[in-house]
Amino acid sequence: MPTTCTISKATLAKKAGLMRPLKGFALALIATMGCMSYAHALTQEEIEARGYISVATEDDYRPFEFMENGKSTGYDNELKDLVEKETGLELRQEILPWAGILPGVTSGKFDMALSAVMVTEERKKSFDYATPMAASTTYYGMKKGSDIKEPKDLIGKTVGAETGSAFLAELKAFDEKLKAEHGEGVGKIVEYHGYPEAYQDLAFGRIDAVVNTDLTLRALIEERGDMFVLGKAIGEPGYKAWAVKKGNSAVLEVVNDALLKIRESGEMYRLQEKWLGASFEDMPLDVN
């Protein structure tokens, strides 16, 4: 990670004396560069010597990652335990809301997003992915008794999605599709910092629908089928995978090798059945 430092007045004066011909902005640039250090991608030897990989995990995204009785649980967390066993490394975890996860990886605060990150072409510009751990499609869910029967019924409705999520991007793309085909689109898109707040607003009738992955909406309905129902797909099928900053190849290789062994053993599919209610054995090995 870049580190900050201070340069004494004496040092600046010395630089100024040596480089009087330089323009002011160039001198400032040299002074700044002189105090910066840049993170380099870890090598496998460095990872093994350090003994851990730093990861960020969401705190309330059932059934993938969530807190229960003060402990991290869910599909991703059980996969994490298997990767630790396979590699002999600690996946040193920090639990935080979704909005901080991908920025934390790109800034270098974390080595990896150990989270159900939707693979998108846009994200591939900044991230490399481990072998996928689930297949999913973007759906909408609504309150029981809703008059929304088909995707086009979202025209004029108030629809929620999580800030910074692939589902928000797909909702916006679907909104444009509705406008192109029907001359009008979604009435209003509401962004949330987390899905629990969106579901609460849906329950109270403040919004008409919530857009999320089908897997998470099915988990919600399994828990609260008295309140919510599943709608239909508004996006194309895709995959979820753990993500590292583009070029962080050693971390990716260590984690990916372990996940591929877990897939080959069938343990990944067993966990999918347990947590997601289906197994996805036809997923590609590589989504980059």
Side-chain angles (χ1 to χ4, degrees):
M1 294 174 64
T3 58
T4 58
C5 65
T6 58
I7 301 177
S8 69
K9 292 180 180 179
T11 302
L12 283 173
K14 184 177 180 181
K15 288 181 179 287
L18 290 173
M19 303 187 180
R20 292 183 188 279
L22 292 174
K23 301 276 186 187
F25 76 91
L27 177 58
L29 177 62
I30 290 172
T32 301
M33 290 177 67
C35 74
M36 293 180 69
S37 63
Y38 294 90
H40 67 282
L42 292 169
T43 65
Q44 288 199 26
E45 291 76 14
E46 287 171 328
I47 294 168
E48 291 170 4
R50 192 175 69 173
Y52 71 89
I53 293 170
S54 62
V55 303
T57 303
E58 196 167 353
D59 58 353
D60 205 342
Y61 192 58
R62 297 172 182 263
F64 293 97
E65 315 121 35
F66 58 99
M67 301 295 292
E68 191 168 76
N69 300 320
K71 182 181 177 182
S72 300
T73 189
Y75 174 54
D76 277 316
N77 283 294
E78 289 206 15
L79 265 185
K80 166 187 170 289
D81 293 343
L82 292 179
V83 171
E84 288 180 322
K85 183 177 179 181
E86 186 67 45
T87 61
L89 296 168
E90 176 192 0
L91 299 187
R92 188 169 293 179
Q93 187 177 50
E94 186 167 333
I95 308 298
L96 67 161
W98 167 254
I101 291 180
L102 294 183
V105 174
T106 55
S107 72
K109 182 177 181 180
F110 306 107
D111 298 320
M112 184 175 72
L114 195 157
S115 187
V117 181
M118 199 72 190
V119 178
T120 69
E121 291 304 314
E122 184 63 28
R123 285 178 178 162
K124 286 180 183 180
K125 298 174 184 176
S126 304
F127 300 96
D128 291 324
Y129 294 93
T131 191
M133 31 67 101
S136 75
T137 304
T138 300
Y139 272 62
Y140 61 87
M142 59 275 189
K143 192 175 179 182
K144 209 165 189 177
S146 169
D147 62 353
I148 300 171
K149 306 301 180 186
E150 299 292 334
K152 64 181 179 62
D153 295 335
L154 293 175
I155 291 173
K157 303 295 187 183
T158 302
V159 187
E162 191 174 51
T163 297
S165 69
F167 316 113
L168 175 62
E170 288 209 82
L171 173 57
K172 290 179 177 179
F174 182 70
D175 181 40
E176 293 303 315
K177 181 180 177 182
L178 287 176
K179 290 174 182 177
E181 294 178 356
H182 302 281
E184 53 184 333
V186 170
K188 183 180 181 181
I189 294 175
V190 181
E191 297 185 27
Y192 293 90
H193 290 299
Y195 272 107
E197 184 184 357
Y199 298 147
Q200 179 176 300
D201 276 3
L202 182 59
F204 283 118
R206 299 187 185 109
I207 59 177
D208 300 301
V210 170
V211 167
N212 201 343
T213 171
D214 56 333
L215 300 173
T216 303
L217 287 172
R218 290 182 198 281
L220 170 71
I221 291 160
E222 184 176 338
E223 185 179 344
R224 293 298 312 275
D226 60 319
M227 178 68 69
F228 304 111
V229 292
L230 184 66
K232 296 186 178 181
I234 64 165
E236 297 299 319
Y239 300 99
K240 290 182 173 291
W242 297 350
V244 303
K245 185 177 180 179
K246 201 161 193 68
N248 198 352
S249 57
V251 169
L252 184 65
E253 186 174 345
V254 169
V255 172
N256 203 47
D257 285 351
L259 285 174
L260 287 171
K261 289 176 183 176
I262 293 165
R263 281 188 68 166
E264 186 178 357
S265 72
E267 282 295 287
M268 180 182 285
Y269 306 126
R270 179 186 67 80
L271 289 180
Q272 288 173 349
E273 288 283 0
K274 174 183 176 180
W275 287 104
L276 310 179
S279 63
F280 305 103
E281 298 182 33
D282 293 333
M283 295 187 300
L285 296 179
D286 190 332
V287 292
N288 292 302

